[in-house]
Amino acid sequence: DSGVTQTPKHLITATGQRVTLRCSPRSGDLSVYWYQQSLDQGLQFLIQYYNGEERAKGNILERFSAQQFPDLHSELNLSSLELGDSALYFCASSSWGYEQYFGPGTRLTVT
Amino acid sequence: DAKTTQPPSMDCAEGRAANLPCNHSTISGNEYVYWYRQIHSQGPQYIIHGLKNNETNEMASLIITEDRKSSTLILPHATLRDTAVYYCIVFYKSNDYKLSFGAGTTVTVRA
């Protein structure tokens, strides 16, 4: 158990809909990262937050957004969903040690 | 970040040491070598990292060549639970802490 929690575990929704994925980092970790893993793209970095502020962005679509709240939990919002957004979404957290600890992921299926 | 090259797959007998090679010939002086693994759709798990010196922890050993152009992850006594995809990542500790995952090596431990 990495100490990072993600909810929900599974999510099935229709095209055009909007969903919110939630992540709680390990106690004391200020950084949160979001990654997407699809069959054809592998693990791709989406976005990083540090203590509430956006720190780095990867190939995150404009339809996707994220935020980190004062209690350090983070949410990833995916809107206007397409079939190709079906993937595993992982959250990771880290402290000054730089090692990232990943949560169990949310499996999103868009039908 | 420097690119890495890993064999796509390898087999290992249970109880034997598994030696996983990684080539990172373009690594620069301030880039670290990190290893993660992913057991079937679970969140990636941090294993070990190093800069120049060999490193050992409770999970594995990391051997980095003197010129730092390649490294080997050693799982000393592989078990069936070590079957996973292993990722070698070269990582520069900057403000941008994203991990760039390649295809990794699929390690299958056989009884």
Side-chain angles (χ1 to χ4, degrees), chain B residues 16-69:
Chain B
R16 304 295 295 269
N19 297 296
L20 283 63
C22 179
N23 187 294
H24 33 78
S25 58
T26 59
I27 193 170
S28 61
N30 51 9
E31 289 180 313
Y32 287 72
V33 179
Y34 274 69
W35 284 83
Y36 283 77
R37 73 180 183 183
Q38 186 175 25
I39 299 171
H40 187 59
S41 295
Q42 295 180 21
Q45 178 187 23
Y46 165 77
I47 301 174
I48 199 167
H49 76 278
L51 182 62
K52 297 179 188 176
N53 300 322
N54 298 337
E55 302 287 345
T56 295
N57 62 21
E58 65 279 3
M59 287 184 69
S61 295
L62 174 61
I63 308 297
I64 302 175
T65 58
E66 196 169 337
D67 63 7
R68 303 209 323 123
K69 293 185 176 181

Side-chain angles (χ1 to χ4, degrees), chain A residues 31 33 35 37 43 45 48 55-57 88 90 96-104 107, chain B residues 34 36 38 41-46 49 87 91 93-102:
Chain A
S31 278
Y33 312 75
Y35 292 82
Q37 186 172 33
L43 266 161
F45 167 76
Q48 178 206 0
R55 180 62 65 90
K57 247 181 177 178
L88 272 166
F90 291 105
W96 288 108
Y98 306 116
E99 300 86 61
Q100 293 182 25
Y101 293 88
F102 285 75
R107 183 177 293 278
Chain B
Y34 274 69
Y36 283 77
Q38 186 175 25
S41 295
Q42 295 180 21
Q45 178 187 23
Y46 165 77
H49 76 278
Y87 299 98
F91 179 70
K93 292 184 179 181
S94 65
N95 286 333
D96 177 356
Y97 298 122
K98 67 176 188 280
L99 293 170
S100 297
F101 289 85

Side-chain angles (χ1 to χ4, degrees), chain A residues 11-103:
Chain A
L11 200 48
I12 301 174
T13 189
T15 54
Q17 294 299 305
R18 172 189 170 94
V19 297
T20 297
L21 312 184
R22 183 187 168 102
C23 167
S24 292
R26 293 187 318 160
S27 177
D29 284 355
L30 299 179
S31 278
V32 168
Y33 312 75
W34 287 97
Y35 292 82
Q36 179 193 53
Q37 186 172 33
S38 56
L39 279 175
D40 55 346
Q41 293 287 325
L43 266 161
Q44 300 281 322
F45 167 76
L46 295 177
I47 198 163
Q48 178 206 0
Y49 277 82
Y50 176 81
N51 202 20
E53 293 192 6
E54 183 183 303
R55 180 62 65 90
K57 247 181 177 178
N59 295 326
I60 187 168
L61 300 171
E62 284 192 14
R63 300 184 285 109
F64 294 3
S65 65
Q67 53 183 327
Q68 186 179 27
F69 295 87
D71 67 353
L72 301 178
H73 91 271
S74 177
E75 292 180 357
L76 179 67
N77 300 296
L78 315 176
S79 62
S80 303
L81 285 167
E82 302 174 359
L83 295 178
D85 298 327
S86 295
L88 272 166
Y89 290 85
F90 291 105
C91 164
S93 74
S94 72
S95 62
W96 288 108
Y98 306 116
E99 300 86 61
Q100 293 182 25
Y101 293 88
F102 285 75

Side-chain angles (χ1 to χ4, degrees), chain B residues 5 11 13 18 37 46 67 69-71 105:
Chain B
T5 304
D11 284 1
R37 73 180 183 183
Y46 165 77
D67 63 7
K69 293 185 176 181
S70 65
S71 60
T105 296

